[in-house]
Amino acid sequence: MAETGKKISMAIGIYVIVKAVINLILGFSFGNIMSLVIAGVIFVLLYKRVPYTNYIIAAYLIIIFLAYFWGNITNLGNSWVYWLYLAEGLIDLASGVLLIVSKNIKAYYQQ
């Protein structure tokens, strides 16, 4: 159970890094560079199993989803990139919920 939780946690950490790299490619800015740094920190925290960070990271991902959801929905007709952002947001939401409710992830953090 804990091994599955580790795999799920690592997949979420890798997703966050890939997402940050894609956003950096789509729009090079200081904010996107900071997002990449934050993504690296998230990956390390998930890997090291720092207590309760799964909940903090989940809150971060859900807040990011909520912050950009309306803008992504209202701009879907303007550019294909908003479809990508919407997909990212939905994956953020799913990842956040998974970090909170998954018994496998909880078992990984309790080891």
Side-chain angles (χ1 to χ4, degrees):
M1 207 172 198
E3 187 62 31
T4 303
K6 179 180 180 180
K7 289 177 184 177
I8 295 169
S9 294
M10 293 302 93
I12 290 171
I14 291 168
Y15 156 73
V16 173
I17 290 174
V18 169
K19 171 188 164 180
V21 169
I22 289 171
N23 287 332
L24 189 61
I25 291 168
L26 291 174
F28 190 82
S29 70
F30 179 74
N32 286 337
I33 292 171
M34 289 307 300
S35 292
L36 184 57
V37 171
I38 291 169
V41 170
I42 286 172
F43 180 82
V44 170
L45 290 173
L46 288 170
Y47 180 75
K48 294 286 188 177
R49 288 186 310 205
V50 177
Y52 304 107
T53 54
N54 58 320
Y55 298 113
I56 296 166
I57 294 166
Y60 169 77
L61 291 172
I62 292 169
I63 289 168
I64 293 295
F65 166 76
L66 292 173
Y68 292 102
F69 180 70
W70 183 250
N72 291 337
I73 290 291
T74 57
N75 288 306
L76 284 178
N78 294 339
S79 174
W80 64 270
V81 84
Y82 289 101
W83 286 96
L84 177 65
Y85 292 151
L86 180 62
E88 284 180 359
L90 293 173
I91 296 170
D92 286 348
L93 179 63
S95 297
V97 170
L98 200 57
L99 284 169
I100 293 170
V101 301
S102 172
K103 291 179 182 177
N104 294 325
I105 291 175
K106 288 178 184 179
Y108 173 61
Y109 271 85
Q110 291 175 352
Q111 261 188 338

